[in-house]
Amino acid sequence: MFQLTRRHLLTAAGAAAVAGLAGCSDDEGSSEGLDDKRAGAMDGFKAGDQFKATEPVTFPIMMLSNPAYPYKADWPFFKELTARTNVTLESTAVPGSDYNQKRSVMVSAGDAPFIIPKTYHPDEEAFIAGGAILPVSDYVDLMPHFQDKVARWNLQGNLDGFKAQDGKFYLLPGLHENAWQDYSLAVRTDIMEKLGLTAPQTWDDLTGVLREMKKAYPDQYPLSDRWSTPPQPGANNLFNLISSSYGTRAGWGWNPTYWDATAGKFVYTGAMDQYRQVLEYVNTLVKEGLLDPESFTQTDDIARQKFATGKSFVISANAQTVVNEARKDIAKIPGATVAKMILPIGPAGATLPGETRLENGIMISKKALESKNFVAMMQFVDWLWYSDAGLMFSKWGIEGQTYTGKVEDGSFKLDPGIKWAGLNPDATKDLQVDFGFFNGVFAYGGSTAVLNSQFSDEEKAFQAEMNKRQVRPVPPPAPLTIEEREQVTLWDAGLKDHVFQNTLKFALGQRPLSEWDAYVKELEGKNATQYLDIVNKAHERYKKEHG
């Protein structure tokens, strides 16, 4: 959920992305035969229980060190965690920029710590064939809080997509009670007021707003964007937002296949007419000088500098970056104000993708199964990441020290001497930097009440508007066999490169959209049709086997 982490890590793994999320059906989760692996485990552990190992235990964990709050071994988080659970975490800290690569090397070599968080589906699928990670679905009966939330929040349909062809899933995702939208665009509201502009309701309205800004400031690009980390074609959040509004996927949301509910089959995302419409929209912005063409290549620092110096008025943002970055960036401009705009609506209507109910998750190394404390470890993971108490602890810390009150009755308050994402902005201590709470390694998922507890009144108003939107159904599962995944992986790299390269060319006007049909033929020449044949056969096979 944290911007910097997500920016580094949200990279869909092409071909594997078709397999989707998986659940824990009644016949899944059999931990029989673990009698010699129950040292430190609690007997009768159930939902609502506080986990505390019956003896001191240590679990190795891979820790992403976020540049916004670099890892500290002496964070109060760790000391209090040990006091509550009798668990000491032995951290392997890795900078966020290197996390994916380091994780892949360590997992593939069999050297990864037992607990491997911050993994975005379908990245786990790369490790299934090698047997380096556990099929965690075999052990969810050790995780009563996880099972309880899946059942109560009706997440089985979402989770079914994580299954591999063997009927198991290999990643424990963060679970949200409801769909939610964080990312949008931040806009200089003082400029909006100065020009007499109203908040855009649709993407076409946004075009109109940008045109008025361009008229008033003809020598500037109203929108100069950030988050252009490869391999996506750049402006990754902008592409993600627009494509979702048009009923397809691009940028951060890229997935090679898209479920066409009308046709009852998967189609190739980069060949969809909706994808063409997205490129047409972005190209219009570029062609009219409304979107800075450097948005597709510039670093975040440069994009922020342009916004900070008044050279642009709109930039991608989420709740944290509006407060922690954008408002600080424009502080030297007299009278400048900024806010996150309500996400514009596109042809897909006032909807949100159902996939947002699941977040990044945890892989468990196969080596963990050799530990005599394996059952205790799974109980610990269940409590920290999936219990209400664990989520409150990982997010807000220690009642009476870092916060007071309850989220359930609205009496929750962060200690006034501690700041976090717009709460208590003048406080001298930072919840993440100084205490280690709200760390993206641990703090994600949870109930809507807990989610809302982190928001300012401004953000709560944004969320209230987003919550009015209909949640779109998640795509059905199409799990591939190992052989099928290997085959589509061979095709995927060339297909993805061609899509990304031409996405940028079409957006910038370097290739005219009149050549769209030729481009689609080029994808077919790179085995897009054969790719879809495998995926759709996998979907049909799943339907026959599971109904």
Side-chain angles (χ1 to χ4, degrees), residues 422-479:
L423 301 178
N424 307 330
D426 298 325
T428 57
K429 295 287 188 179
D430 186 286
L431 187 67
Q432 294 170 312
V433 175
D434 299 305
F435 294 89
F437 297 110
F438 243 114
N439 188 305
V441 172
F442 307 103
Y444 46 83
S447 69
T448 299
V450 172
L451 179 68
N452 287 341
S453 71
Q454 71 195 55
F455 296 144
S456 64
D457 290 342
E458 175 187 11
E459 180 63 17
K460 286 177 182 175
F462 175 88
Q463 292 296 330
E465 286 299 315
M466 291 295 98
N467 289 340
K468 294 176 183 177
R469 302 190 178 183
Q470 182 178 359
V471 178
R472 299 196 294 270
V474 295

Side-chain angles (χ1 to χ4, degrees), residues 264-312:
K265 63 179 181 180
F266 287 93
V267 296
Y268 195 75
T269 305
M272 296 173 67
D273 189 59
Q274 291 91 332
Y275 200 92
R276 180 193 62 77
Q277 293 171 24
V278 170
L279 299 181
E280 187 175 36
Y281 179 84
V282 175
N283 175 249
T284 296
L285 299 185
V286 172
K287 187 167 53 179
E288 295 187 19
L290 309 178
L291 172 61
D292 184 355
E294 293 183 358
S295 297
F296 304 97
T297 54
Q298 66 191 359
T299 64
D300 278 14
D301 287 343
I302 292 175
R304 288 178 60 187
Q305 185 179 36
K306 290 177 180 179
F307 192 75
T309 55
K311 292 181 180 178
S312 68

Side-chain angles (χ1 to χ4, degrees), residues 257-521:
T257 62
Y258 193 91
W259 175 250
D260 185 334
T262 302
K265 63 179 181 180
F266 287 93
V267 296
Y268 195 75
T269 305
M272 296 173 67
D273 189 59
Q274 291 91 332
Y275 200 92
R276 180 193 62 77
Q277 293 171 24
V278 170
L279 299 181
E280 187 175 36
Y281 179 84
V282 175
N283 175 249
T284 296
L285 299 185
V286 172
K287 187 167 53 179
E288 295 187 19
L290 309 178
L291 172 61
D292 184 355
E294 293 183 358
S295 297
F296 304 97
T297 54
Q298 66 191 359
T299 64
D300 278 14
D301 287 343
I302 292 175
R304 288 178 60 187
Q305 185 179 36
K306 290 177 180 179
F307 192 75
T309 55
K311 292 181 180 178
S312 68
F313 307 127
V314 184
I315 190 171
S316 278
N318 64 16
Q320 290 191 52
T321 60
V322 167
V323 175
N324 295 338
E325 297 176 359
R327 286 187 177 143
K328 293 178 181 178
D329 290 345
I330 63 169
K332 294 182 179 179
I333 303 176
T337 55
V338 63
K340 190 169 70 167
M341 71 171 65
I342 300 298
L343 186 64
I345 295 170
T351 60
L352 293 175
E355 292 90 330
T356 60
R357 296 187 67 197
L358 301 176
E359 275 207 66
N360 67 86
I362 304 158
M363 295 188 296
I364 301 296
S365 169
K366 186 178 181 180
K367 290 193 306 181
L369 193 57
E370 301 170 6
S371 169
K372 66 178 182 179
N373 303 123
F374 176 75
V375 174
M377 187 194 74
M378 296 304 291
Q379 291 178 345
F380 167 76
V381 168
D382 181 61
W383 179 82
L384 182 57
W385 275 274
Y386 299 103
S387 75
D388 293 342
L391 288 163
M392 274 301 293
F393 169 71
S394 64
K395 291 189 175 187
W396 291 122
I398 307 164
E399 185 175 3
Q401 295 185 31
T402 58
Y403 75 90
T404 58
K406 307 290 183 184
V407 298
E408 293 82 5
D409 61 11
S411 63
F412 170 86
K413 291 287 187 299
L414 181 64
D415 183 275
I418 302 172
K419 61 185 174 183
W420 185 82
L423 301 178
N424 307 330
D426 298 325
T428 57
K429 295 287 188 179
D430 186 286
L431 187 67
Q432 294 170 312
V433 175
D434 299 305
F435 294 89
F437 297 110
F438 243 114
N439 188 305
V441 172
F442 307 103
Y444 46 83
S447 69
T448 299
V450 172
L451 179 68
N452 287 341
S453 71
Q454 71 195 55
F455 296 144
S456 64
D457 290 342
E458 175 187 11
E459 180 63 17
K460 286 177 182 175
F462 175 88
Q463 292 296 330
E465 286 299 315
M466 291 295 98
N467 289 340
K468 294 176 183 177
R469 302 190 178 183
Q470 182 178 359
V471 178
R472 299 196 294 270
V474 295
L480 305 181
T481 65
I482 292 174
E483 293 76 19
E484 288 170 339
R485 191 178 300 115
E486 289 175 349
Q487 179 60 72
V488 298
T489 299
L490 293 175
W491 294 331
D492 179 67
L495 281 165
K496 182 170 63 177
D497 287 346
H498 198 66
V499 171
F500 288 178
Q501 290 170 12
N502 281 276
T503 293
L504 188 57
K505 289 179 181 178
F506 284 128
L508 291 173
Q510 296 170 351
R511 183 174 187 179
L513 281 160
S514 59
E515 295 185 11
W516 178 260
D517 290 344
Y519 154 77
V520 172
K521 288 289 185 183

Side-chain angles (χ1 to χ4, degrees), residues 5 8 62-72 75 92-97 99 439 441:
T5 300
H8 289 305
M62 196 163 182
M63 277 287 302
L64 182 144
S65 182
N66 193 307
Y69 44 94
Y71 166 78
K72 297 177 183 177
W75 270 329
T92 298
V94 181
S97 57
Y99 191 81
N439 188 305
V441 172

Side-chain angles (χ1 to χ4, degrees), residues 38-317:
R38 297 182 180 273
M42 292 176 59
D43 291 333
F45 183 58
K46 63 184 182 302
D49 286 352
Q50 164 68 50
F51 170 77
K52 188 163 189 177
T54 58
E55 61 186 55
V57 292
T58 299
F59 300 133
I61 186 172
M62 196 163 182
M63 277 287 302
L64 182 144
S65 182
N66 193 307
Y69 44 94
Y71 166 78
K72 297 177 183 177
D74 61 352
W75 270 329
F77 169 87
F78 293 114
K79 182 178 180 180
E80 181 67 19
L81 182 67
T82 300
R84 293 191 184 198
T85 65
N86 221 4
V87 171
T88 299
L89 290 177
E90 182 181 87
S91 301
T92 298
V94 181
S97 57
D98 299 329
Y99 191 81
N100 273 5
Q101 181 177 2
K102 181 75 170 179
R103 182 193 61 202
S104 295
V105 170
M106 294 183 73
V107 173
S108 298
D111 295 330
F114 288 179
I115 304 172
I116 312 165
K118 297 307 292 182
T119 299
Y120 286 87
H121 179 74
D123 289 356
E124 81 280 6
E125 292 184 351
F127 311 114
I128 293 175
I133 59 173
L134 287 180
V136 287
S137 57
D138 283 350
Y139 306 101
V140 291
D141 61 330
L142 302 173
M143 303 180 66
H145 294 98
F146 178 86
Q147 290 183 311
D148 175 64
K149 282 183 167 54
V150 169
R152 285 194 295 112
W153 294 349
N154 193 26
L155 283 165
Q156 189 62 55
N158 296 68
L159 291 169
D160 278 345
F162 265 34
K163 275 182 182 168
Q165 201 275 332
D166 61 6
K168 303 175 186 288
F169 62 96
Y170 293 75
L171 182 71
L172 292 165
L175 308 177
H176 281 283
E177 182 178 5
N178 294 300
W180 72 293
Q181 178 72 35
D182 185 12
Y183 288 74
S184 184
L185 299 172
V187 61
R188 281 276 300 277
T189 47
D190 59 308
I191 298 296
M192 295 280 288
E193 293 172 5
K194 179 181 177 180
L195 300 179
L197 302 173
T198 56
Q201 301 298 306
T202 67
W203 288 100
D204 287 341
D205 290 345
L206 177 63
T207 303
V209 166
L210 297 175
R211 283 171 177 161
E212 291 302 314
M213 290 178 170
K214 185 71 175 180
K215 286 180 185 177
Y217 302 89
D219 297 330
Q220 298 177 206
Y221 293 106
L223 170 54
S224 187
D225 215 11
R226 63 185 304 182
W227 294 330
S228 293
T229 309
Q232 283 89 349
N236 298 323
N237 178 59
L238 183 64
F239 267 124
N240 184 37
L241 297 177
I242 298 172
S243 64
S244 180
S245 300
Y246 273 73
T248 185
R249 294 177 176 136
W252 271 340
W254 167 257
N255 189 318
T257 62
Y258 193 91
W259 175 250
D260 185 334
T262 302
K265 63 179 181 180
F266 287 93
V267 296
Y268 195 75
T269 305
M272 296 173 67
D273 189 59
Q274 291 91 332
Y275 200 92
R276 180 193 62 77
Q277 293 171 24
V278 170
L279 299 181
E280 187 175 36
Y281 179 84
V282 175
N283 175 249
T284 296
L285 299 185
V286 172
K287 187 167 53 179
E288 295 187 19
L290 309 178
L291 172 61
D292 184 355
E294 293 183 358
S295 297
F296 304 97
T297 54
Q298 66 191 359
T299 64
D300 278 14
D301 287 343
I302 292 175
R304 288 178 60 187
Q305 185 179 36
K306 290 177 180 179
F307 192 75
T309 55
K311 292 181 180 178
S312 68
F313 307 127
V314 184
I315 190 171
S316 278

